[in-house]
Amino acid sequence: QVQLQESGPGLVKPSETLSLTCAVSGYSIRSGYYWGWIRQPPGKGLEWIGSIYHSGNTYYNPSLKSRVTISVDTSKNGFSLKLTSVTAADTAVFYCGSHRGYPGYFDHWGQGTLVTVSS
Amino acid sequence: DIQMTQSPSSLSASVGDRVTITCRASQSISSYLNWYQQKPGKAPELLIYAASSLQSGVPSRFSGSGSGTDFTLTISSLQPEDFATYYCQQSYNTPPTFGPGTKVDIK
């Protein structure tokens, strides 16, 4: 059973870079699947940020593409998210997840981590 | 981007009720439509994929139907653990997009 766990700072200052990692267990990240990030502002809906295939191919939401980098770390069996130049509008719960195919459906999710952008 | 809408935005229902939630896409997405359930403070969970396929472990009271632009999620007999927010998501093309959600609460 695939399990995912997000980690990273819960508070980021405006204009700085948000960095999160997702640890995957129960499945080798090199074996397949797409690995993605989704965010949810407090009280609002879900927004796909981007995904990466185990080979390293990346797919980003055009609305965030200029600020997003997703990468895989096979040595740690995980993947990461970097979002630059953050503002208060980036405050959200960030989820990592896995999906079959692209765009695909997300069949495994991490528990989520709240990141607040504030000085 | 393909825009997803859902109706109603919220509904109140009683245990045992039959509940229907509608999702509409701004263009045809064939059967590339997925449904998720989210409880407060928790991550979404996949219920239905490809419009009508039940995810493993999901109770059979949940069902999905539709194709093209109009889709439906039905809960045949609402249970106490079903009070949650439900989201649809299209996986027809990139970027994948979600509906705004339908909150189901207790009447």
Side-chain angles (χ1 to χ4, degrees):
Chain A
Q1 174 76 331
V2 180
Q3 293 185 308
L4 303 100
Q5 177 69 58
E6 307 88 350
S7 62
L11 181 65
V12 180
K13 291 182 168 56
S15 79
E16 295 190 345
T17 296
L18 180 160
S19 296
L20 296 173
T21 60
C22 181
V24 178
S25 58
Y27 190 86
S28 171
I29 204 166
R30 286 180 287 189
S31 296
Y33 258 114
Y34 290 79
W35 308 95
W37 291 94
I38 305 100
R39 69 179 181 177
Q40 184 172 37
K44 296 188 178 180
L46 300 161
E47 180 182 34
W48 173 75
I49 299 170
S51 297
I52 188 166
Y53 192 48
H54 68 93
S55 62
N57 291 347
T58 52
Y59 309 82
Y60 298 134
N61 192 322
S63 67
L64 297 167
K65 186 175 183 176
S66 64
R67 299 195 291 132
V68 173
T69 302
I70 296 175
S71 58
V72 165
D73 186 340
T74 54
S75 67
K76 294 183 179 180
N77 205 45
F79 58 105
S80 65
L81 168 71
K82 291 188 186 300
L83 181 66
T84 62
S85 305
V86 297
T87 69
D90 294 309
T91 294
V93 175
F94 287 76
Y95 296 100
C96 60
S98 62
H99 54 110
R100 299 177 183 272
Y102 182 79
Y105 52 86
F106 294 85
D107 54 357
H108 296 95
W109 296 67
Q111 65 183 28
T113 187
L114 173 63
V115 179
T116 301
V117 179
S118 175
S119 56
Chain B
D1 298 5
I2 295 176
Q3 306 302 315
M4 308 300 294
T5 57
Q6 291 182 231
S7 61
S9 57
S10 65
L11 66 90
S12 296
S14 301
V15 173
D17 284 354
R18 182 181 182 87
V19 169
T20 299
I21 298 169
T22 298
C23 176
R24 177 165 289 175
S26 60
Q27 66 180 72
S28 177
I29 58 171
S30 185
S31 295
Y32 291 91
L33 190 283
N34 314 300
W35 290 97
Y36 301 86
Q37 176 193 69
Q38 185 178 36
K39 297 180 181 178
K42 301 293 187 182
E45 293 185 2
L46 179 67
L47 296 176
I48 302 282
Y49 62 94
S52 60
S53 295
L54 194 67
Q55 172 68 349
S56 176
V58 174
S60 59
R61 63 180 178 273
F62 291 93
S63 64
S65 64
S67 66
T69 59
D70 295 320
F71 301 86
T72 299
L73 173 70
T74 299
I75 309 172
S76 61
S77 178
L78 198 67
Q79 298 302 299
E81 60 268 30
D82 301 337
F83 292 96
T85 299
Y86 294 84
Y87 294 93
C88 60
Q89 175 237 333
Q90 66 83 16
S91 52
Y92 180 74
N93 69 11
T94 191
T97 46
F98 293 85
T102 295
K103 184 176 181 180
V104 177
D105 61 21
I106 301 172
K107 182 182 287 185

